[in-house]
Short mmCIF file of all heavy atoms in Angstrom, two decimals:
data_model
loop_
_atom_site.label_atom_id
_atom_site.label_comp_id
_atom_site.label_asym_id
_atom_site.label_seq_id
_atom_site.Cartn_x
_atom_site.Cartn_y
_atom_site.Cartn_z
N GLN A 1280 12.13 25.55 45.74
CA GLN A 1280 12.57 24.25 45.93
C GLN A 1280 11.82 23.17 45.17
O GLN A 1280 11.12 22.28 45.70
CB GLN A 1280 12.51 23.96 47.53
CG GLN A 1280 13.23 24.93 48.28
CD GLN A 1280 13.55 24.52 49.76
OE1 GLN A 1280 13.25 23.44 50.04
NE2 GLN A 1280 14.07 25.37 50.48
N LYS A 1281 11.89 23.39 43.92
CA LYS A 1281 11.13 22.51 42.87
C LYS A 1281 12.20 21.76 42.08
O LYS A 1281 13.18 22.41 41.66
CB LYS A 1281 10.23 23.36 42.02
CG LYS A 1281 9.08 24.09 42.75
CD LYS A 1281 8.25 23.15 43.44
CE LYS A 1281 7.15 23.88 44.30
NZ LYS A 1281 6.25 22.95 45.14
N PRO A 1282 11.96 20.59 41.76
CA PRO A 1282 12.91 19.82 40.88
C PRO A 1282 12.99 20.53 39.43
O PRO A 1282 11.79 20.78 38.87
CB PRO A 1282 12.38 18.48 40.76
CG PRO A 1282 11.40 18.37 41.90
CD PRO A 1282 10.88 19.69 42.15
N LEU A 1283 14.10 20.54 38.91
CA LEU A 1283 14.22 21.16 37.54
C LEU A 1283 14.93 20.07 36.70
O LEU A 1283 16.11 19.64 36.93
CB LEU A 1283 15.03 22.50 37.55
CG LEU A 1283 15.37 23.01 36.21
CD1 LEU A 1283 14.24 23.41 35.36
CD2 LEU A 1283 16.40 24.24 36.39
N LEU A 1284 14.29 19.69 35.57
CA LEU A 1284 14.96 18.73 34.70
C LEU A 1284 15.37 19.54 33.38
O LEU A 1284 14.54 20.07 32.71
CB LEU A 1284 13.93 17.65 34.30
CG LEU A 1284 13.59 16.66 35.39
CD1 LEU A 1284 12.54 17.30 36.26
CD2 LEU A 1284 13.01 15.36 34.90
N GLU A 1285 16.73 19.61 33.29
CA GLU A 1285 17.33 20.55 32.26
C GLU A 1285 18.00 19.65 31.19
O GLU A 1285 18.55 18.57 31.45
CB GLU A 1285 18.45 21.28 33.10
CG GLU A 1285 19.25 22.27 32.22
CD GLU A 1285 18.40 23.27 31.48
OE1 GLU A 1285 17.98 24.08 32.17
OE2 GLU A 1285 18.33 23.14 30.17
N SER A 1286 17.89 20.09 29.94
CA SER A 1286 18.55 19.52 28.85
C SER A 1286 18.86 20.49 27.66
O SER A 1286 18.27 21.58 27.70
CB SER A 1286 17.62 18.38 28.20
OG SER A 1286 16.39 18.87 27.91
N GLY A 1287 19.70 20.00 26.84
CA GLY A 1287 20.01 20.93 25.63
C GLY A 1287 20.76 20.13 24.58
O GLY A 1287 21.20 19.03 24.83
N THR A 1288 20.66 20.63 23.38
CA THR A 1288 21.26 19.98 22.30
C THR A 1288 22.15 20.97 21.45
O THR A 1288 21.93 22.15 21.48
CB THR A 1288 20.36 19.27 21.31
OG1 THR A 1288 19.53 20.34 20.65
CG2 THR A 1288 19.28 18.53 21.99
N LEU A 1289 23.15 20.44 20.78
CA LEU A 1289 23.97 21.17 19.75
C LEU A 1289 24.35 20.12 18.78
O LEU A 1289 25.34 19.47 18.97
CB LEU A 1289 25.27 21.80 20.50
CG LEU A 1289 26.02 22.58 19.64
CD1 LEU A 1289 25.40 23.82 19.14
CD2 LEU A 1289 27.36 22.98 20.35
N GLY A 1290 23.68 20.21 17.66
CA GLY A 1290 23.98 19.25 16.64
C GLY A 1290 23.75 17.79 17.06
O GLY A 1290 22.66 17.58 17.65
N ALA A 1291 24.76 16.87 16.88
CA ALA A 1291 24.62 15.54 17.36
C ALA A 1291 25.01 15.40 18.83
O ALA A 1291 24.82 14.23 19.33
CB ALA A 1291 25.66 14.77 16.58
N LYS A 1292 25.17 16.35 19.55
CA LYS A 1292 25.39 16.39 20.98
C LYS A 1292 24.29 16.77 21.84
O LYS A 1292 23.48 17.58 21.36
CB LYS A 1292 26.65 17.27 21.38
CG LYS A 1292 27.88 17.20 20.59
CD LYS A 1292 28.89 18.18 21.06
CE LYS A 1292 30.15 18.14 20.23
NZ LYS A 1292 30.09 18.78 18.92
N CYS A 1293 24.12 16.14 22.94
CA CYS A 1293 23.05 16.54 23.92
C CYS A 1293 23.52 16.34 25.35
O CYS A 1293 24.54 15.53 25.52
CB CYS A 1293 21.75 15.76 23.65
SG CYS A 1293 21.87 13.97 24.02
N ASN A 1294 22.90 16.95 26.16
CA ASN A 1294 23.19 16.83 27.62
C ASN A 1294 21.93 16.98 28.54
O ASN A 1294 20.97 17.66 28.06
CB ASN A 1294 24.22 17.91 28.09
CG ASN A 1294 23.67 19.24 28.24
OD1 ASN A 1294 23.44 19.98 27.21
ND2 ASN A 1294 23.33 19.64 29.38
N THR A 1295 21.89 16.27 29.57
CA THR A 1295 20.80 16.42 30.50
C THR A 1295 21.43 16.70 31.95
O THR A 1295 22.46 16.18 32.26
CB THR A 1295 19.95 15.17 30.53
OG1 THR A 1295 20.66 14.03 31.16
CG2 THR A 1295 19.52 14.71 29.22
N GLN A 1296 20.64 17.43 32.74
CA GLN A 1296 21.09 17.69 34.11
C GLN A 1296 19.96 17.79 34.98
O GLN A 1296 18.88 18.47 34.75
CB GLN A 1296 21.90 18.99 34.12
CG GLN A 1296 22.32 19.37 35.62
CD GLN A 1296 23.13 20.79 35.66
OE1 GLN A 1296 23.26 21.38 34.70
NE2 GLN A 1296 23.44 21.16 36.90
N MET A 1297 20.00 17.03 36.04
CA MET A 1297 18.91 16.89 37.03
C MET A 1297 19.29 17.87 38.18
O MET A 1297 20.24 17.74 38.79
CB MET A 1297 18.86 15.49 37.58
CG MET A 1297 18.44 14.46 36.52
SD MET A 1297 17.04 14.91 35.52
CE MET A 1297 17.76 15.40 34.03
N VAL A 1298 18.34 18.76 38.47
CA VAL A 1298 18.51 19.67 39.65
C VAL A 1298 17.39 19.38 40.64
O VAL A 1298 16.24 19.65 40.47
CB VAL A 1298 18.29 21.08 39.08
CG1 VAL A 1298 18.46 22.10 40.22
CG2 VAL A 1298 19.29 21.44 37.97
N ILE A 1299 17.77 18.63 41.61
CA ILE A 1299 16.87 18.05 42.66
C ILE A 1299 17.13 18.78 44.00
O ILE A 1299 18.25 18.83 44.51
CB ILE A 1299 17.03 16.53 42.78
CG1 ILE A 1299 17.12 15.90 41.40
CG2 ILE A 1299 15.98 15.95 43.64
CD1 ILE A 1299 15.88 16.05 40.60
N PRO A 1300 16.00 19.36 44.67
CA PRO A 1300 16.17 20.05 45.81
C PRO A 1300 16.96 19.28 46.87
O PRO A 1300 16.62 18.16 47.12
CB PRO A 1300 14.67 20.31 46.30
CG PRO A 1300 13.96 20.43 44.98
CD PRO A 1300 14.63 19.34 44.10
N HIS A 1301 17.91 19.96 47.43
CA HIS A 1301 18.75 19.44 48.49
C HIS A 1301 19.70 18.25 48.23
O HIS A 1301 20.44 17.85 48.92
CB HIS A 1301 17.90 19.15 49.78
CG HIS A 1301 17.10 20.25 50.22
ND1 HIS A 1301 17.56 21.36 50.90
CD2 HIS A 1301 15.81 20.54 50.12
CE1 HIS A 1301 16.75 22.16 51.21
NE2 HIS A 1301 15.52 21.79 50.74
N LEU A 1302 19.49 17.60 46.95
CA LEU A 1302 20.34 16.46 46.58
C LEU A 1302 21.39 16.92 45.62
O LEU A 1302 22.54 16.29 45.67
CB LEU A 1302 19.41 15.44 45.98
CG LEU A 1302 18.35 14.79 46.84
CD1 LEU A 1302 17.73 13.68 46.10
CD2 LEU A 1302 18.93 14.21 48.09
N THR A 1303 21.19 17.80 44.70
CA THR A 1303 22.19 18.16 43.66
C THR A 1303 22.47 19.56 43.70
O THR A 1303 21.71 20.46 44.16
CB THR A 1303 21.65 17.78 42.27
OG1 THR A 1303 20.55 18.73 41.93
CG2 THR A 1303 21.03 16.32 42.30
N GLU A 1304 23.51 19.93 43.05
CA GLU A 1304 23.82 21.34 42.80
C GLU A 1304 22.88 21.84 41.77
O GLU A 1304 22.19 21.05 40.95
CB GLU A 1304 25.24 21.62 42.27
CG GLU A 1304 25.50 21.05 40.95
CD GLU A 1304 26.88 21.34 40.50
OE1 GLU A 1304 27.75 21.89 41.14
OE2 GLU A 1304 27.13 21.11 39.11
#
Side-chain angles (χ1 to χ4, degrees):
Q1280 303 197 10
K1281 300 297 177 183
L1283 171 64
L1284 291 82
E1285 176 61 67
S1286 58
T1288 70
L1289 180 67
K1292 305 179 185 79
C1293 69
N1294 71 282
T1295 67
Q1296 180 180 351
M1297 300 306 108
V1298 179
I1299 311 299
H1301 303 289
L1302 295 183
T1303 74
E1304 67 177 9

